[in-house]
Amino acid sequence: MSSITAEEAKALAPDLASLKAAQELADICHWVSLGANEAALWGECKGSAQKPYKVQVDLSNRGFACTCPSRKSPCKHVLGLMLLASASPTILKDTTPPAWVSEWLEKRTDQTSDHAGQAEPDTASSQSRQKDAARRAARREKLVAAGLETLDLWLKDLIRQGLAFAQSAPASFWEQQSARLVDAQLPGAARMVREMQGIPGASPNWAEILLLKMARLQLLIQAYRRLESLPEPSRTDVRTLLGWTINRKELILSSPALSDDWLVMAQTLEEDETSGLRTQINWLWGKTSRKPAQLILFAFRTRPFEDHLFPGLTLRGDLVYFPGAYPLRAVFKSYRGLESTFVPAGFPNILAFLDAYSTALGLNPWLEHFPVVLEHVTIEKLETNWLLCDGENQAIPVSPRSPCWELLSLSGGHPLTVFGLWDGFAFFPMTAWENERFVRL
């Protein structure tokens, strides 16, 4: 089945409009037929013409074709098929391709053989794919460099105008810059700009938070310009943040796995109302390794997620981390559910947690959320502020958006084990254990 990821499909989009249109097509209701095998994806998509458009994707080298009249490459139908395959691979059942797909694949093979001359077909095909990949990579690097130059100028203009301007800036100020970054194949940077839009005026310390976001973007620009001088894990972090993707199938096959019992600590769900894309973020904790992991799943509209995970579920399995200086995101190589559960062992006090956070931030300065388990802590209210306190009279602020009263009621003033996310400003509790009882906040 297809190894195409949603991130890869998004990176291929020629512009933001094509991506939005493709996201709307990533629903089975728009398709007359769908199919897949080890060589290709194909489908017939309903359009404005009397007959459906015939769409096909060559999985060997990501070649594609569509009978629609669009001049964009790839068109929205090709991108829609890729997004549908990545979100709901079981919909594209492994079947024998129809004649129009087989003929297209054979024609591509014949063209490669003719172009190779006297060379061996397999060698020629490999060399052709390598050359195509090199050309695409060079074209993308050029687009990225230009996009980052524009982003650099935009950030400097924002500083010159002052942060007060950010409070009154129209939505188009943020949206147009985000769209430019998407056009430059920088979806990661585009996401960071979109997130900045909601910061001005959202909290008393919004200016500090916005400056930090801007500083991280500027650091990302400078890091990319000096990419070759960075250690390999940091280079991977920079490219991933900007929007390069890592093939999950290749990652699983080539990377070592960490075997442990994994508890699903918390789960969040986001939905894009325009595209219908749902993003589920799962936070896991290893029983023996005491390592956190982030699993991200995607699905469109009412389609089920590939894995059925929920807070409190315990899994025994092999987890593979995506590469990076401080790896967090991961994917299961294999797993099975367990009936038993456990209370995770975390940091014994706040100083130990802050020391670990500073180490992680030194490895990855773009770390936005640090997952943490704190043992023997209580929540207290000091005037209008909430604090999480340990037994050594150390305390950290708790996010005002969090269920503070619920946590206080659960604890009854007694120490608890708590899991949550630290963003550098405040702690957001998501799960707690009252004795050995798992409580989702």
CSV table of all heavy atoms in Angstrom, one decimal, residues 39-74:
chain,number,residue,atom,x,y,z
A,39,ALA,N,2.6,-0.8,-7.0
A,39,ALA,CA,3.1,0.1,-8.1
A,39,ALA,C,2.5,1.5,-8.2
A,39,ALA,O,3.1,2.4,-8.5
A,39,ALA,CB,3.1,-0.6,-9.4
A,40,ALA,N,1.2,1.5,-7.9
A,40,ALA,CA,0.5,2.8,-8.2
A,40,ALA,C,-0.8,3.0,-7.3
A,40,ALA,O,-1.3,2.1,-6.7
A,40,ALA,CB,0.1,2.8,-9.6
A,41,LEU,N,-1.2,4.2,-7.3
A,41,LEU,CA,-2.6,4.6,-6.8
A,41,LEU,C,-3.4,5.1,-8.0
A,41,LEU,O,-2.8,5.7,-9.0
A,41,LEU,CB,-2.5,5.8,-5.8
A,41,LEU,CG,-1.5,5.7,-4.6
A,41,LEU,CD1,-1.5,7.0,-3.9
A,41,LEU,CD2,-1.9,4.5,-3.7
A,42,TRP,N,-4.7,4.9,-8.0
A,42,TRP,CA,-5.5,5.4,-9.1
A,42,TRP,C,-6.9,5.6,-8.6
A,42,TRP,O,-7.3,5.1,-7.6
A,42,TRP,CB,-5.5,4.4,-10.3
A,42,TRP,CG,-6.1,3.1,-10.0
A,42,TRP,CD1,-7.4,2.7,-10.1
A,42,TRP,CD2,-5.3,1.9,-9.6
A,42,TRP,NE1,-7.5,1.4,-9.7
A,42,TRP,CE2,-6.3,0.9,-9.4
A,42,TRP,CE3,-4.0,1.6,-9.3
A,42,TRP,CZ2,-5.9,-0.4,-9.0
A,42,TRP,CZ3,-3.6,0.4,-8.9
A,42,TRP,CH2,-4.5,-0.6,-8.8
A,43,GLY,N,-7.6,6.4,-9.4
A,43,GLY,CA,-9.0,6.7,-9.0
A,43,GLY,C,-9.7,7.5,-10.1
A,43,GLY,O,-9.0,8.1,-11.0
A,44,GLU,N,-11.0,7.5,-10.1
A,44,GLU,CA,-11.8,8.4,-11.0
A,44,GLU,C,-12.5,9.4,-10.2
A,44,GLU,O,-13.3,9.0,-9.3
A,44,GLU,CB,-12.7,7.5,-11.8
A,44,GLU,CG,-12.0,6.5,-12.8
A,44,GLU,CD,-13.0,5.7,-13.6
A,44,GLU,OE1,-13.4,4.6,-13.0
A,44,GLU,OE2,-13.3,6.0,-14.7
A,45,CYS,N,-12.2,10.7,-10.4
A,45,CYS,CA,-12.8,11.7,-9.6
A,45,CYS,C,-13.8,12.5,-10.4
A,45,CYS,O,-13.6,12.9,-11.5
A,45,CYS,CB,-11.6,12.7,-9.2
A,45,CYS,SG,-12.1,14.0,-8.1
A,46,LYS,N,-14.9,12.7,-9.7
A,46,LYS,CA,-16.0,13.5,-10.3
A,46,LYS,C,-15.6,15.0,-10.4
A,46,LYS,O,-15.0,15.6,-9.5
A,46,LYS,CB,-17.3,13.4,-9.4
A,46,LYS,CG,-18.0,12.1,-9.4
A,46,LYS,CD,-19.2,12.1,-8.6
A,46,LYS,CE,-18.9,11.6,-7.2
A,46,LYS,NZ,-20.1,11.4,-6.4
A,47,GLY,N,-15.8,15.6,-11.6
A,47,GLY,CA,-15.5,16.9,-11.9
A,47,GLY,C,-16.6,17.6,-12.7
A,47,GLY,O,-17.7,17.2,-12.7
A,48,SER,N,-16.2,18.7,-13.3
A,48,SER,CA,-17.1,19.5,-14.1
A,48,SER,C,-17.4,18.9,-15.4
A,48,SER,O,-18.4,19.2,-16.1
A,48,SER,CB,-16.6,20.9,-14.3
A,48,SER,OG,-15.3,20.9,-14.9
A,49,ALA,N,-16.6,18.0,-15.9
A,49,ALA,CA,-16.8,17.3,-17.2
A,49,ALA,C,-17.8,16.2,-17.0
A,49,ALA,O,-18.1,15.8,-15.9
A,49,ALA,CB,-15.5,16.7,-17.7
A,50,GLN,N,-18.3,15.7,-18.2
A,50,GLN,CA,-19.4,14.7,-18.1
A,50,GLN,C,-18.8,13.4,-17.6
A,50,GLN,O,-19.4,12.7,-16.8
A,50,GLN,CB,-19.9,14.5,-19.5
A,50,GLN,CG,-21.1,13.5,-19.6
A,50,GLN,CD,-21.7,13.3,-21.0
A,50,GLN,OE1,-21.2,13.9,-21.9
A,50,GLN,NE2,-22.7,12.5,-21.1
A,51,LYS,N,-17.6,13.1,-18.0
A,51,LYS,CA,-16.9,11.9,-17.5
A,51,LYS,C,-16.0,12.2,-16.3
A,51,LYS,O,-15.4,13.3,-16.3
A,51,LYS,CB,-16.1,11.2,-18.6
A,51,LYS,CG,-17.0,10.6,-19.7
A,51,LYS,CD,-16.2,9.9,-20.8
A,51,LYS,CE,-17.0,9.4,-21.9
A,51,LYS,NZ,-16.2,8.7,-23.0
A,52,PRO,N,-15.8,11.3,-15.4
A,52,PRO,CA,-14.9,11.6,-14.3
A,52,PRO,C,-13.4,11.6,-14.8
A,52,PRO,O,-13.1,11.0,-15.8
A,52,PRO,CB,-15.1,10.4,-13.3
A,52,PRO,CG,-15.6,9.3,-14.2
A,52,PRO,CD,-16.5,10.0,-15.2
A,53,TYR,N,-12.6,12.4,-14.1
A,53,TYR,CA,-11.2,12.5,-14.4
A,53,TYR,C,-10.4,11.3,-13.9
A,53,TYR,O,-10.7,10.8,-12.8
A,53,TYR,CB,-10.6,13.8,-13.8
A,53,TYR,CG,-11.2,15.0,-14.2
A,53,TYR,CD1,-11.7,16.0,-13.3
A,53,TYR,CD2,-11.3,15.3,-15.6
A,53,TYR,CE1,-12.3,17.1,-13.7
A,53,TYR,CE2,-11.9,16.5,-16.0
A,53,TYR,CZ,-12.4,17.4,-15.1
A,53,TYR,OH,-13.0,18.6,-15.5
A,54,LYS,N,-9.6,10.8,-14.8
A,54,LYS,CA,-8.8,9.6,-14.4
A,54,LYS,C,-7.4,10.0,-13.8
A,54,LYS,O,-6.7,10.8,-14.5
A,54,LYS,CB,-8.5,8.7,-15.7
A,54,LYS,CG,-9.8,8.1,-16.2
A,54,LYS,CD,-9.6,7.2,-17.4
A,54,LYS,CE,-10.9,6.6,-17.9
A,54,LYS,NZ,-10.6,5.8,-19.2
A,55,VAL,N,-7.2,9.6,-12.6
A,55,VAL,CA,-6.1,10.1,-11.8
A,55,VAL,C,-5.2,8.9,-11.4
A,55,VAL,O,-5.7,7.9,-11.0
A,55,VAL,CB,-6.5,10.8,-10.5
A,55,VAL,CG1,-5.3,11.5,-9.8
A,55,VAL,CG2,-7.6,11.8,-10.8
A,56,GLN,N,-3.9,9.1,-11.6
A,56,GLN,CA,-2.9,8.0,-11.3
A,56,GLN,C,-1.6,8.5,-10.7
A,56,GLN,O,-1.2,9.6,-11.1
A,56,GLN,CB,-2.7,7.1,-12.5
A,56,GLN,CG,-2.5,7.9,-13.8
A,56,GLN,CD,-3.2,7.2,-15.0
A,56,GLN,OE1,-3.4,6.0,-15.0
A,56,GLN,NE2,-3.5,8.0,-16.0
A,57,VAL,N,-1.0,7.8,-9.8
A,57,VAL,CA,0.2,8.1,-9.2
A,57,VAL,C,1.2,6.9,-9.2
A,57,VAL,O,0.8,5.8,-8.8
A,57,VAL,CB,0.0,8.6,-7.7
A,57,VAL,CG1,1.4,8.9,-7.1
A,57,VAL,CG2,-0.9,9.8,-7.7
A,58,ASP,N,2.4,7.1,-9.8
A,58,ASP,CA,3.4,6.1,-9.8
A,58,ASP,C,4.1,6.1,-8.5
A,58,ASP,O,4.8,7.1,-8.2
A,58,ASP,CB,4.3,6.3,-11.0
A,58,ASP,CG,5.3,5.2,-11.2
A,58,ASP,OD1,5.5,4.4,-10.3
A,58,ASP,OD2,5.9,5.1,-12.3
A,59,LEU,N,4.0,5.0,-7.7
A,59,LEU,CA,4.7,5.0,-6.4
A,59,LEU,C,6.2,4.8,-6.4
A,59,LEU,O,6.9,5.1,-5.4
A,59,LEU,CB,4.0,3.9,-5.5
A,59,LEU,CG,2.6,4.1,-5.2
A,59,LEU,CD1,2.0,2.9,-4.4
A,59,LEU,CD2,2.4,5.4,-4.4
A,60,SER,N,6.7,4.4,-7.5
A,60,SER,CA,8.1,4.2,-7.6
A,60,SER,C,8.9,5.5,-7.6
A,60,SER,O,10.0,5.6,-7.1
A,60,SER,CB,8.5,3.3,-8.9
A,60,SER,OG,8.2,4.1,-10.1
A,61,ASN,N,8.3,6.5,-8.3
A,61,ASN,CA,9.1,7.8,-8.3
A,61,ASN,C,8.2,9.0,-8.2
A,61,ASN,O,8.6,10.1,-8.6
A,61,ASN,CB,9.8,7.9,-9.7
A,61,ASN,CG,8.9,7.7,-10.9
A,61,ASN,OD1,7.7,7.7,-10.8
A,61,ASN,ND2,9.5,7.4,-12.0
A,62,ARG,N,6.9,8.8,-7.7
A,62,ARG,CA,6.0,9.8,-7.5
A,62,ARG,C,5.6,10.6,-8.8
A,62,ARG,O,5.2,11.7,-8.8
A,62,ARG,CB,6.5,10.9,-6.5
A,62,ARG,CG,6.8,10.3,-5.1
A,62,ARG,CD,5.6,9.6,-4.6
A,62,ARG,NE,5.8,9.3,-3.2
A,62,ARG,CZ,6.0,8.0,-2.7
A,62,ARG,NH1,6.1,7.0,-3.6
A,62,ARG,NH2,6.2,7.8,-1.4
A,63,GLY,N,5.7,9.8,-9.9
A,63,GLY,CA,5.1,10.4,-11.2
A,63,GLY,C,3.6,10.4,-11.1
A,63,GLY,O,3.0,9.6,-10.3
A,64,PHE,N,2.9,11.2,-11.9
A,64,PHE,CA,1.5,11.3,-11.8
A,64,PHE,C,0.9,11.8,-13.1
A,64,PHE,O,1.6,12.3,-14.0
A,64,PHE,CB,1.1,12.3,-10.7
A,64,PHE,CG,1.8,13.6,-10.7
A,64,PHE,CD1,1.4,14.6,-11.6
A,64,PHE,CD2,2.9,13.9,-9.9
A,64,PHE,CE1,2.1,15.8,-11.7
A,64,PHE,CE2,3.6,15.1,-10.0
A,64,PHE,CZ,3.2,16.1,-10.9
A,65,ALA,N,-0.4,11.6,-13.2
A,65,ALA,CA,-1.1,12.0,-14.4
A,65,ALA,C,-2.6,12.1,-14.1
A,65,ALA,O,-3.1,11.5,-13.2
A,65,ALA,CB,-0.9,11.0,-15.6
A,66,CYS,N,-3.2,13.1,-14.8
A,66,CYS,CA,-4.7,13.3,-14.6
A,66,CYS,C,-5.2,13.8,-16.0
A,66,CYS,O,-4.6,14.5,-16.7
A,66,CYS,CB,-4.9,14.3,-13.5
A,66,CYS,SG,-6.7,14.6,-13.2
A,67,THR,N,-6.4,13.4,-16.3
A,67,THR,CA,-7.1,13.8,-17.5
A,67,THR,C,-7.8,15.1,-17.4
A,67,THR,O,-8.4,15.6,-18.4
A,67,THR,CB,-8.1,12.7,-18.0
A,67,THR,OG1,-9.1,12.5,-17.0
A,67,THR,CG2,-7.4,11.4,-18.3
A,68,CYS,N,-7.7,15.8,-16.3
A,68,CYS,CA,-8.3,17.1,-16.2
A,68,CYS,C,-7.5,18.2,-17.0
A,68,CYS,O,-6.3,18.0,-17.3
A,68,CYS,CB,-8.4,17.6,-14.7
A,68,CYS,SG,-6.8,18.1,-14.0
A,69,PRO,N,-8.1,19.3,-17.3
A,69,PRO,CA,-7.4,20.3,-18.1
A,69,PRO,C,-6.5,21.3,-17.3
A,69,PRO,O,-5.9,22.2,-17.9
A,69,PRO,CB,-8.5,21.1,-18.8
A,69,PRO,CG,-9.6,21.0,-17.8
A,69,PRO,CD,-9.5,19.6,-17.2
A,70,SER,N,-6.3,21.1,-16.0
A,70,SER,CA,-5.5,22.0,-15.2
A,70,SER,C,-4.1,22.1,-15.7
A,70,SER,O,-3.5,21.1,-16.0
A,70,SER,CB,-5.6,21.6,-13.7
A,70,SER,OG,-4.8,22.4,-13.0
A,71,ARG,N,-3.5,23.3,-15.6
A,71,ARG,CA,-2.1,23.5,-16.0
A,71,ARG,C,-1.2,23.3,-14.7
A,71,ARG,O,0.0,23.4,-14.9
A,71,ARG,CB,-1.9,24.8,-16.6
A,71,ARG,CG,-2.6,25.0,-18.0
A,71,ARG,CD,-2.4,26.3,-18.6
A,71,ARG,NE,-3.0,26.5,-19.9
A,71,ARG,CZ,-2.9,27.6,-20.6
A,71,ARG,NH1,-2.2,28.6,-20.2
A,71,ARG,NH2,-3.5,27.7,-21.8
A,72,LYS,N,-1.8,23.2,-13.6
A,72,LYS,CA,-1.0,23.1,-12.4
A,72,LYS,C,-0.4,21.7,-12.2
A,72,LYS,O,-1.1,20.7,-12.6
A,72,LYS,CB,-1.8,23.5,-11.1
A,72,LYS,CG,-2.2,24.9,-11.1
A,72,LYS,CD,-2.9,25.3,-9.9
A,72,LYS,CE,-3.3,26.8,-9.9
A,72,LYS,NZ,-4.0,27.2,-8.6
A,73,SER,N,0.8,21.6,-11.7
A,73,SER,CA,1.4,20.3,-11.6
A,73,SER,C,2.0,20.1,-10.2
A,73,SER,O,3.0,20.8,-9.9
A,73,SER,CB,2.5,20.1,-12.7
A,73,SER,OG,3.1,18.9,-12.6
A,74,PRO,N,1.5,19.2,-9.4
A,74,PRO,CA,0.3,18.3,-9.7
A,74,PRO,C,-1.0,19.1,-9.5
A,74,PRO,O,-1.0,20.1,-8.8
A,74,PRO,CB,0.5,17.2,-8.7
A,74,PRO,CG,1.2,17.8,-7.5
A,74,PRO,CD,2.2,18.8,-8.2
